[in-house]
Amino acid sequence: MKTRTLRNVLMLAAALSLGGSLAAPFVYPAKWSADPASSAKKGGDYRESTISDYKTINPFTSAEARSIPNYFMSLGTGLFVQDQTNDSFIPKMAEAMPEISNGGKRFVVKIRQGMKFSDGQPITADDWVTTFKIHTDDKVGSNSYDSFFINDKPITVKKLGEYTLQFDFPETVATAYVKMGYTPWPDHVFGKAYREGGADAVKKLWGLNVDPNTVVTAGAFTLQSYSAGQRAVLKRNPSFGEWNKDSAGVALPYLDTVTLKIVKDLNASLAAYLAGDIDVYGARNADDLAQIKKAIDAKTLNATELANVSPAASSQWITFNWNKADSPFKQKLFRDVRFRRAMSMLANRDAMVQLALGGLGVPTYYSVYPVFKSYISDSAPKYPYNLDGAAKLLAQIGFKKGSDGILADAKGNKLEFTLATNSGNTTREQLGRIFADEAKKVGVKVNFTPIDFNVLVGQLTAKGESRPFDAILLGLSNGDNIWPYGTNVVPCGTNLHSYNNPTDGKCATSQEQLMTKLFFQGQGTVDQAARRAVGLQLLTTEASLQPVIFLVGGAYHVNYNNRLGGQFPREQMDSYYLSRNIETTYIK
C-alpha cells in the first residue's frame, strides 16, 4: 500500500512539474479588433476566391504569395510578429524576446512550450532547425532560400535544448526578427523524409493529390479537402487554440473552416462577391467600387466598403530577359539600358491608372511599394511617358521603321517581342494591352499573351543561359517595412532577380553589383535614418539601370460582407497589415 501511494505521489509530482513548464498562451490584444471579444462566435465558414488554381501543398516548393501552405496554413505562426499599432516586434511562438549578444549578431530564443502541430505532436527546436536546413538546400528550390543568407554568407540555426534556439547572423541585420519569423514545419514529416531521401524526397511530399489527413501544420488551419479547379477547404487546427487565445481567453481560431473558391478571372470574383458567395474582395478600380456601392445602396448586398484606405503594398512591372543565348539579337537588345529606358517611356502610366485602375492609383517608377513612402524619393531618375524620347533612344541603338511600320536594325532584325502575363488577372491584361498599343505607335511590335499563372512563374524563376521568355508583366507583394527591398529580388543570383538569372548567378553589370552591395549594406544598418539614406542610393542606382520597368501602384480598398466580425479598427488598416487576422475573424 505504501509503495502504491508513493508511486502515485511521484506521478502527481511529475505531472505538476510538466504542467508547470508550459508557457502561457499567446493572447491576441483586444486593441487589434474593432469588436469586443465578447461579441465573437465560434464556428462558420470564411470564404475567399482565387483566380489561379493551386500548384502544391508543399511549403518548400510553393512560390505563390497567397499559397495554401505559405499563407493560409501558416496563419498565426512565427517566433515574432509585428504589432500593427506601433510596428514593434513581439514574441509569438517565442516565449519572450531573445537574449542578444555578439554585437547584435547572436539571438538565443526560448520557444513557447506546450505548442503542438495539428496532429498533436509537440513543436520543438528540431522543427525550426529542420525547416531551416530544407529551405537552405538549393536542390530543394525553396522560394525562401535567399532569406537565410546575408551577402552570400549563411545564417546558422542551432538547437541548444528542446525549447531553445540559437540564431547566428554573419553580420548585424536590421531585419533579424523578420528572418527569424519563418513558419516551422514538422520534423517528423519533412525531417524524416529529408534524412531518408534528401531533397528529392521532400519535393515529392504534399502534392495536390495528398491525403489531407497526412498534412500537418502549426498554423491556425490545416487542409480539409482540395478539388482541382473548384475549391480548397481548410479546417480549424484544434492544437492552435491550446496556445492562442483571444483577450477573453477563448481558443482561436473562431472559424470552423476557410473555403478558397477557384474562379476563372477577377470579374468572376467580383460577381461572386456581389452575389454574397464570398466574404471579401480586393476592388481593382473605381468601377468595381461603384458596382459594390450600388449593390449596397440597393440592399442586395449587406457589406462594408472602405475606399482608398492606403497606397498599395504591391507592384506591377515588366521585366525583360537578359539570358537569351538562343537569340543573341534579343539578348543584346534587352541588356541595352537605352532600350529599357525607351520601354519605360512607352508606358503610358497615366492612362494605365485611369483605364486599368479607374483613376484610383499612382504611376510608379521604383521597386519600393507606394505604401512605404519614407523610402521613396523623387530625386531618383524617372523615364516617364514620352513617345518621341523613346523613338530617339531606339534610333540611337540603330532601329529604323520599315515599310510595314515596324522598327528594324541594319541587319533586318525587327523590334518584336512577346510579353506574357497571367490570364484571368484583368488588371494586368489591361496594362499589357495599353503598353502594346503605345509601343505600336513608335514601331515596336509587342505580342501580348496572357498564359497560365503557374506556367508564367515557372518561366520567370527559371535559371540558365537561355531562359524561356522574352518579357513578363507581373507583380510582387509581401516584404516588410523595415527594409522594403526584396531579399530574393535585388541581389544577383536570387530566384526573383527576374531579368538576369544565369546558372552561375553572377551579375552582368557593375550597377547590379552596386545594388547587391547596397542591399546588404542597408539590411545591416540598424539606425533607421542611415538605413533610409542607403535605400536612396539603392533606389537611384536601380532607377538609372531600369532593370525592371515599374508601371502603376493601386490603392488599397477594403470590402467585406457584414456577416464577418473581427476586423481591425479603421486606423490600423493598410495594405501592409491588411484589414483583419483570419484567426480572430468570426461569423456573426
Side-chain angles (χ1 to χ4, degrees):
M1 186 69 176
K2 288 183 179 179
T3 302
R4 184 178 177 184
T5 304
L6 178 61
R7 182 184 177 197
N8 287 344
V9 170
L10 289 173
M11 289 177 65
L12 178 61
L16 287 172
S17 175
L18 179 61
S21 69
L22 299 181
F26 177 82
V27 177
Y28 281 71
K31 64 183 178 180
W32 287 2
S33 177
D35 300 321
S38 58
S39 67
K41 298 178 181 178
K42 296 280 279 189
D45 179 42
Y46 169 86
R47 306 162 303 171
E48 278 197 19
S49 67
T50 178
I51 62 170
S52 298
D53 207 344
Y54 294 101
K55 191 174 182 180
T56 183
I57 312 298
N58 189 320
F60 297 102
T61 59
S62 174
E64 305 94 327
R66 286 177 75 87
S67 70
I68 292 174
N70 291 329
Y71 184 79
F72 290 100
M73 281 172 36
S74 295
L75 289 169
T77 65
L79 288 169
F80 308 99
V81 296
Q82 278 182 285
D83 181 340
Q84 68 244 24
T85 65
N86 56 24
D87 294 335
S88 66
F89 284 90
I90 58 176
K92 183 68 161 67
M93 298 185 84
E95 186 177 279
M97 296 305 285
E99 296 178 12
I100 305 174
S101 60
N102 193 25
K105 295 185 289 185
R106 172 167 290 175
F107 297 76
V108 174
V109 181
K110 297 286 187 180
I111 299 168
R112 191 182 298 272
Q113 296 186 40
M115 299 185 297
K116 297 176 185 175
F117 284 106
S118 53
D119 63 355
Q121 292 294 311
I123 301 173
T124 70
D126 289 325
D127 302 302
W128 270 274
V129 172
T130 291
T131 299
F132 166 80
K133 285 180 179 178
I134 296 175
H135 275 311
T136 54
D137 184 338
D138 59 359
K139 295 188 177 90
V140 173
S142 168
N143 192 51
S144 298
Y145 175 88
D146 302 304
S147 301
F148 296 100
F149 290 82
I150 310 297
N151 209 359
D152 291 331
K153 292 173 283 190
I155 300 167
T156 62
V157 183
K158 182 180 179 182
K159 173 184 175 181
L160 297 185
E162 196 73 1
Y163 295 100
T164 307
L165 291 164
Q166 178 177 295
F167 292 83
D168 283 294
F169 289 79
E171 53 193 67
T172 55
V173 179
T175 55
Y177 290 106
V178 175
K179 291 185 175 297
M180 292 187 290
Y182 62 93
T183 298
W185 294 96
D187 174 71
H188 61 279
V189 177
F190 287 99
K192 182 175 183 293
Y194 189 60
R195 288 185 289 272
E196 293 175 356
D200 288 340
V202 169
K203 290 191 286 186
K204 290 176 182 177
L205 291 173
W206 295 9
L208 292 178
N209 61 349
V210 65
D211 177 355
N213 292 320
T214 65
V215 174
V216 180
T217 180
F221 298 93
T222 188
L223 187 67
Q224 176 172 293
S225 65
Y226 166 77
S227 299
Q230 297 181 50
R231 68 183 58 82
V233 180
L234 296 101
K235 62 182 179 181
R236 179 198 295 130
N237 169 11
S239 297
F240 185 84
E242 296 176 10
W243 64 278
N244 287 276
K245 311 289 184 182
D246 70 9
S247 57
V250 176
L252 297 172
Y254 300 124
L255 298 163
D256 286 334
T257 54
V258 171
T259 296
L260 310 172
K261 184 178 181 180
I262 301 165
V263 298
K264 66 177 182 178
D265 57 27
L266 290 174
N267 290 328
S269 183
L270 173 60
Y273 181 69
L274 292 172
D277 294 334
I278 59 175
D279 293 315
V280 294
Y281 175 70
R284 297 162 290 181
N285 50 41
D287 184 61
D288 280 2
L289 292 170
Q291 289 191 59
I292 294 168
K293 186 177 187 301
K294 182 179 179 181
I296 292 172
D297 291 344
K299 300 190 184 308
T300 59
L301 177 66
N302 182 13
T304 294
E305 178 173 81
L306 301 173
N308 297 311
V309 170
S310 82
S314 60
S315 59
Q316 308 291 336
W317 39 260
I318 295 173
T319 185
F320 290 91
N321 179 10
W322 294 11
N323 311 117
K324 291 195 71 70
D326 55 338
S327 176
F329 163 70
K330 286 183 178 177
Q331 176 164 289
K332 182 179 179 182
L333 178 66
F334 295 163
R335 292 189 179 201
D336 193 318
V337 69
R338 295 171 296 179
F339 167 79
R340 298 192 302 279
R341 289 173 179 174
M343 293 303 100
S344 180
M345 292 178 176
L346 295 181
N348 190 340
R349 294 171 177 83
D350 289 338
M352 291 175 175
V353 169
Q354 293 303 316
L355 298 176
L357 303 180
L360 301 177
V362 293
T364 59
Y365 297 89
Y366 314 119
S367 64
V368 175
Y369 302 152
V371 71
F372 302 138
K373 296 177 182 178
S374 62
Y375 279 91
I376 297 175
S377 172
D378 284 335
S379 65
K382 292 181 181 178
Y383 300 92
Y385 179 62
N386 183 343
L387 294 182
D388 289 340
K392 288 177 182 177
L393 285 173
L394 296 174
Q396 288 178 18
I397 299 174
F399 285 105
K400 294 181 180 180
K401 277 190 179 180
S403 58
D404 59 0
I406 299 174
L407 292 170
D409 66 11
K411 295 181 180 179
N413 294 306
K414 293 186 177 182
L415 211 174
E416 176 181 0
F417 58 84
T418 297
L419 174 64
T421 195
N422 56 311
S423 58
N425 188 311
T426 51
T427 299
R428 289 183 190 141
E429 289 176 354
Q430 282 187 285
L431 295 176
R433 285 193 292 270
I434 294 168
F435 179 81
D437 289 345
E438 295 292 342
K440 185 178 180 180
K441 293 176 183 178
V442 299
V444 178
K445 185 176 180 181
V446 178
N447 300 311
F448 181 57
T449 311
I451 62 175
D452 176 76
F453 178 70
N454 291 323
V455 173
L456 190 72
V457 171
Q459 292 179 356
L460 183 77
T461 57
K463 288 182 177 286
E465 317 315 312
S466 298
R467 297 163 66 215
F469 71 92
D470 288 347
I472 286 176
L473 193 165
L474 205 52
L476 286 175
S477 58
N478 293 340
D480 63 78
N481 60 1
I482 309 300
W483 180 235
Y485 298 90
T487 298
N488 57 348
V489 177
V490 176
C492 296
T494 54
N495 72 319
L496 290 179
H497 194 74
S498 59
Y499 52 96
N500 179 34
N501 209 348
T503 304
D504 61 12
K506 291 183 178 179
C507 299
T509 68
S510 59
Q511 293 100 321
E512 278 183 281
Q513 292 174 338
L514 178 58
M515 287 162 58
T516 299
K517 177 184 175 182
L518 290 170
F519 173 84
F520 289 114
Q521 181 182 337
Q523 183 178 249
T525 302
V526 176
D527 178 76
Q528 188 179 71
R531 187 165 66 248
R532 286 176 178 168
V534 176
L536 176 57
Q537 295 180 61
L538 174 52
L539 193 78
T540 301
T541 305
E542 175 189 72
S544 177
L545 182 62
Q546 286 290 299
V548 174
I549 314 303
F550 292 94
L551 302 174
V552 294
Y556 175 62
H557 316 293
V558 174
N559 290 278
Y560 61 88
N561 192 296
N562 284 336
R563 78 189 200 106
L564 298 184
Q567 63 278 352
F568 298 153
R570 172 62 181 81
E571 66 273 11
Q572 293 177 26
M573 295 179 181
D574 67 19
S575 59
Y576 179 59
Y577 289 111
L578 304 181
S579 63
R580 66 178 63 247
N581 287 318
I582 298 179
E583 311 95 287
T584 51
T585 292
Y586 62 92
I587 308 300
K588 294 179 180 177

